[in-house]
Amino acid sequence: MEAPEISDDGFEILRPFVEAARALWRQELDDEQRWRKIAELMPLLLDSDPLRDKARSWPAPAADRARAQNLLFYEDPDYHFVINGLIKNGDEITPIHDHAHTWTVYGVLSGHERVVRFKRRDDAAQSDRATLDPIDDYVVAPGYVDLVPPGLLHAEYAGGERTVAIIVRSERVGDFPQTMVDPATRAVTHAPGPAQLRWRL
Ligand SMILES: [Fe+2]
């Protein structure tokens, strides 16, 4: 395996998950099957005491920062999946957004969040104002693992405390447009997703 772009110490924490995930790319699986299995591997990260220790010092982006930011811990040299950290300050909310064509597994390490998922009723190709129906509304807590398929609109509302999530994505985001919907006006825009800050564990 090619050397990852992170320190060896840090990689040892991720290694059990990375090796199990890489094995899934060597199997004949469709995307949904593979990502359901990746979700099942998340306890290898979420139950890791060393990872939890490291997470205490991960920085939250500045509250006035316009663009979301992920810490980038690992990018697979062969299969291109990535492992991100996302730290939210208490009461932070995301716009309604999708993750474009990528698959996402979202695991909560600490804190609580409310997640609302939406279905778009209007014709996305014709309209710059979305008509949305909420289709799911639930609270996620440490250990919870959420699977987000391509194109699914959702918003996250952090609880009162700092929230830390570990995210596994099918590829690095930030360089291609994702759909954003203004929660008040429902105006649709397309903008790059979270900035990626490479971070040594
Ligand atoms: Fe999201």
Side-chain angles (χ1 to χ4, degrees):
M1 173 172 161
E2 213 169 294
E5 287 184 53
I6 49 177
S7 70
D8 287 345
D9 277 3
F11 185 66
E12 287 312 310
I13 296 174
L14 303 178
R15 183 188 291 279
F17 175 87
V18 168
E19 289 184 346
R22 284 172 58 84
L24 293 174
W25 262 273
R26 293 192 287 266
Q27 293 177 25
E28 286 290 323
L29 298 169
D30 65 30
D31 284 343
E32 182 168 357
Q33 289 171 325
R34 180 171 296 113
W35 283 92
R36 285 194 185 284
K37 287 176 182 286
I38 288 169
E40 290 169 9
L41 298 177
M42 288 301 278
L44 293 171
L45 297 171
L46 299 179
D47 295 345
S48 162
D49 289 334
L51 194 61
R52 218 183 296 266
D53 283 348
K54 298 269 186 194
R56 292 202 184 93
S57 61
W58 294 344
D64 59 353
R65 199 188 149 86
R67 187 174 168 198
Q69 176 181 282
N70 291 169
L71 303 182
L72 177 59
F73 303 134
Y74 176 77
E75 183 167 9
D76 193 83
D78 299 314
Y79 307 112
H80 310 297
F81 67 90
V82 298
I83 304 176
N84 282 137
L86 173 59
I87 299 91
K88 291 195 184 84
N89 296 302
D91 299 323
E92 202 174 306
I93 60 172
T94 68
I96 300 168
H97 65 281
D98 70 8
H99 299 164
H101 57 281
T102 64
W103 285 85
T104 308
V105 167
Y106 190 94
V108 181
L109 197 65
S110 64
H112 293 75
E113 288 189 323
R114 177 176 162 224
V115 178
V116 183
R117 293 181 162 200
F118 300 91
K119 184 175 169 56
R120 188 166 178 181
R121 243 193 301 136
D122 60 306
D123 178 359
Q126 300 289 324
S127 165
D128 57 7
R129 214 160 282 265
T131 307
L132 300 177
D133 290 328
I135 50 171
D136 245 328
D137 186 336
Y138 48 99
V139 171
V140 299
Y144 191 96
V145 175
D146 211 13
L147 177 62
V148 186
L152 185 107
L153 287 165
H154 60 283
E156 298 140 32
Y157 308 86
E161 76 280 55
R162 166 186 155 98
T163 301
V164 181
I166 303 290
I167 308 175
V168 182
R169 304 183 188 275
S170 52
E171 65 183 81
R172 177 163 43 87
V173 298
D175 291 333
F176 52 81
Q178 299 177 208
T179 306
M180 310 278 166
V181 181
D182 185 291
T185 65
R186 301 296 204 228
V188 178
T189 54
H190 295 90
Q196 301 293 300
L197 179 62
R198 288 186 187 271
W199 190 265
R200 264 171 188 269
L201 277 180

